[in-house]
Amino acid sequence: MRGDDRPLPDGLYRTIFEEADIGIAINDPENGTFGDVNPRYAEMLGYDADELRDTRIDAISAEDPSFDQEAAEERLQRVLEGEPQKFDWLFERKDGTEIWTEVSLKRTTVDGNVRVLAFVRDITESKERKWDLEFFEELVETIGVGVGVYRADGTIEYVNERFAENLDADRDALRGVKIWEINPDVDPDRFDEYWASFDDGETRTAETVHSFEGSEVPVETVTTCKEINDTLYHFGTVQDISDRKEQEERFQAFVEQSNDIITVLGADGTYQYQSPSAQRILGYERGELIGENAFEYIHPEDREEVLGKFEQAINEPSMPPVVEYRFRHADGSWRWLESRGFNQLDNSAVEGFVVNSRDVTERKRHERQIADMHDATRTMFQATDAERICEIAVETAETILDHPIAGVWLCDESGERLEPITSTDAAHELIEEFPVYTEGNSLSWRAYETGEPFVTGDLREESGAYDPETELRSELIVPLGDYGVLNMGAAAVDAFTDNDIALAKLLGANTRAALGRNDRERLLERQTDQMEFFNSILRHDVLNAVTVIKSRAEFLEAELEGEQLRDVKTIISWSDDVQEIVQRVRTVLETLTGEGDPQLEPMQLGPELRAEIERVRATYPDASFDVDVPDGAPVLANDLLGDVLGNIVTNAVDHNDTAGLRVSVTAERRNDAVIVRIADNGRGVDDDRKEAIFRRGETGHAKSVGSGFGLFFVDAMVDEYGGEVSVEDNDDGGATFVIRLPVSESADST
């Protein structure tokens, strides 16, 4: 066989064919089958030569459209047209594995027939190496970090695109550059020593700065020393850490400027790190506490609790403790800290106990002030006169609010003057004679008149001050409602903080409430005295007079007859009624003044309540009543129970328009009490009146009702019974009075 179609001698052809180290096959271009194959061809594919004869090419090719019969015959046809072919072809061995081959096709003639001669070489290994190379090239180019290689003389041999991008340079411009020209940490005079210090396979990580032609970028390098094909290289990755450095700088600034103290303690409680804020908050120089034991600086009274929390966190890392304690300041004083700890002993980056501490000294001081304020308020409410209440107010301003210049002015009976009542010693030292404030002559009167607190950081800049030449510079004036004002001052400018103002307002509100309570108690005392006087008149004058009238009438009863006898009997009957009324009034008065014993006993609520409803129904026929009251319902009360219930029922009708008025009355037992609900669909009771209507001096919705004793009488009697009474809104827009009365245990047991 020759290229000119002249055949070779048969013996030479067969020898070449059989002994060739390359696979040779003769293909029939008409049908794409094998005519003959040499032993090497059959061996590559795992077949016997006889098995491949007359086999189609696609029968031993990979299952891929690129290697099907049509593709094979197309290649054969090109050869016939005079175009030699050389290409890669993927065969499938007899055992199912694949083999990459390089195929060369040439036209020839065998026994006068045109055939295609195929020379096939196994290139699987080279193909795989090529793929590996392409894979790693793609990997290096797309890995997202810079990759570089330099030789023993420091010359950069290769960089990927990312390496060049980091330096805003062209990669070709970097090839041939010495490594120390971009990495200033590499000393060219000691490069040989640096190179020799690496062991084969050793890897080192470092942070440095790469620079090239004006570009500069912080990087993290991971360098490995490796021998490849008898040549030693340094190669590795280069990561741009600009963002990380920026975050670290921000975090460092946060730690250093934070109001919180960041601390790292060892397992034994010694300081390993403390943020610079410790100097600002606790007065210690930076690094002064490193190596010291933190617990030695904690107040002895708090140390045991803090140690317990620390040990708990050591044993239970998932439960970060929070604790408040006193810590010794560098000047010897104590600061309150609130600390939250995080066990990071197992974190290789920390290997310590991280503590975040916040200065809460002012908060603790405020809490103490609030608690002391409550104590002062209780003392105010126990005071028996207005002057003592005012004295407690200025004492509180001095000792709790820490403002020693304070005083109280109260309005006189005319309502036209604010007169000084009391002040602190410091105020007396500053002001020889305290002024009386009247309309328009002072800032104090302005605050009193408007009811709004007034605060100034500099009196000299304010118009309307009583004394523009005063030594005071700051002033805080808190109105006490209709009673007067509480004044606080200071010689310094801007002396009052927001916390001072808030506490002063609270002190003013408490003082106003105490003065109001004192007024009500004085009024109650006067009313009690009046009722006691009225009771004595009833007991001595009225009752004695009725007793005399009744006894004289009884004497005449035996002597008279006819019309005169009937008149005498009427006198006796009316005397009995008057005595009963007087006795009932006395019982009420003694209950209200606290003199008498209410003499409680089991009473059946049902009959008493229904009787009162019928009485009111007869008086107000236009009103409708829905009643659901049990027959019994024994409660602990006295013979005034009917008056108490009737007062509320009458109140529900008397203070509403009776046209269309509906009153619902229910009673039910709940555990150890009977609950009575008297509801109407009238105009209701305003929220700010719901408690006031039960006070003495208040008279129901608008005026005194029922038996004439008002809702104060109801509240007082229900309280004597051990019960409660209240008023609430209902869905019909009216008011519902709720009376809770205790069940009589003795009656209940029977």
Side-chain angles (χ1 to χ4, degrees), residues 21-38:
D21 192 39
I22 189 173
I24 303 174
I26 300 174
N27 297 107
D28 185 345
E30 292 185 1
N31 55 23
T33 61
F34 291 99
D36 196 4
V37 298
N38 73 345

Side-chain angles (χ1 to χ4, degrees), residues 494-524:
D494 296 325
F496 298 104
T497 65
D498 290 342
N499 184 57
D500 291 334
I501 296 170
L503 290 174
K505 289 179 180 179
L506 178 60
L507 175 58
N510 293 343
T511 304
R512 182 176 67 249
L515 290 170
R517 185 174 187 274
N518 181 71
D519 276 357
R520 290 193 297 273
E521 288 182 349
R522 301 291 79 76
L523 176 62
L524 289 176

